Amino acid sequence: ELEVSYTRRIGSHMALSIAPSWSEYRDPLAWYDMDSTGGAATYGDRYIFASLRASEARIGTRVNYYFSPALSLEMYVEPFAASGKFSDHGELAAARTSSIRQYGTDGTTITRDDLGYHISNGADSFNLPDRDFGDRSFQSNVVLRWEFSRGSTLYLVWQRNRFDSRELGRLVRFRSLGDAFAADGSDYVAFKISYWIPVR
């Protein structure tokens, strides 16, 4: 895991903060799926696990600019990328144990196709979906704050959310964050005003 944080004031009006991070982790026994074609040892259900290799990268950037004590512009931007690849699928061998019967061994076969995986065990067979993932997202918030009189403030907010899925299961790097900027998404604009009414 790699994480760095950098904060700096630029002059008397601007503050900048950048926090890039990257991580990779493995889970040898990640939950994968459940199927209702199991045997008596697992009470008629199959509890399916797999080995997961996952990675994440992000860069959180915050910029605050103060035109005056009453007027400021605040911006936060975060491109994000994550991936996960599953392998060594298998099922719980018996209830109240941690023993996994890996597919492709012990008389079972596993084949991959366009839809996922096909598992066979003698006359029994079933399918598993492909759960490899490759997420790309981009989130940003821009807030203009104006205190136009004492205790009364106007806020103008622009929010952008983008998401895409690509390169399923492929280990992400910081360059993967470039895909997040091109992802499809939506924009929201909000206007809020609070007005202080003095009561004597």
Side-chain angles (χ1 to χ4, degrees):
E1 182 176 355
L2 172 66
E3 185 172 355
V4 179
S5 181
Y6 173 80
T7 302
R8 182 181 179 183
R9 292 194 63 88
I10 303 174
S12 58
H13 295 280
M14 182 181 292
L16 171 67
S17 176
I18 302 176
S21 66
W22 181 86
S23 64
E24 180 186 356
Y25 60 93
R26 297 173 184 266
D27 185 349
L29 200 63
W31 172 258
Y32 194 84
D33 209 344
M34 180 176 170
D35 188 83
S36 58
T37 62
T42 52
Y43 305 106
D45 292 318
R46 297 182 192 272
Y47 300 92
I48 301 166
F49 297 84
S51 176
L52 170 64
R53 181 188 184 190
S55 59
E56 293 183 358
R58 71 177 75 215
I59 300 178
T61 303
R62 186 181 300 276
V63 179
N64 295 341
Y65 190 86
Y66 302 94
F67 300 94
S68 70
L71 181 63
S72 65
L73 182 67
E74 302 176 3
M75 181 179 68
Y76 181 76
V77 174
E78 185 186 80
F80 172 80
S83 73
K85 184 174 182 59
F86 292 90
S87 61
D88 301 329
H89 302 71
E91 64 184 63
L92 190 66
R96 295 185 294 274
T97 71
S98 58
S99 178
I100 300 298
R101 183 188 187 196
Q102 185 175 332
Y103 298 140
T105 66
D106 193 26
T108 66
T109 63
I110 178 170
T111 56
R112 187 165 187 169
D113 54 30
D114 294 338
L115 299 178
Y117 300 90
H118 181 76
I119 315 297
S120 65
N121 178 22
D124 297 330
S125 65
F126 62 97
N127 296 308
L128 289 177
D130 184 357
R131 299 198 183 281
D132 290 355
F133 61 90
D135 298 336
R136 305 290 187 268
S137 72
F138 174 83
Q139 294 184 330
S140 67
N141 288 283
V142 179
V143 180
L144 179 67
R145 176 187 174 275
W146 177 35
E147 187 175 358
F148 56 90
S149 66
R150 183 180 179 183
S152 301
T153 308
L154 180 149
Y155 299 91
L156 183 61
V157 181
W158 173 31
Q159 184 181 71
R160 171 168 287 184
N161 296 311
R162 296 179 177 272
F163 180 83
D164 196 5
S165 182
R166 60 178 66 191
E167 295 185 326
L168 309 185
R170 185 173 180 180
L171 197 67
V172 300
R173 295 287 186 257
F174 278 114
R175 63 176 178 269
S176 305
L177 297 175
D179 298 331
F181 292 94
D184 294 330
S186 55
D187 294 87
Y188 301 91
V189 176
F191 176 82
K192 177 183 176 182
I193 187 170
S194 61
Y195 188 76
W196 180 62
I197 302 175
V199 178
R200 297 181 179 180

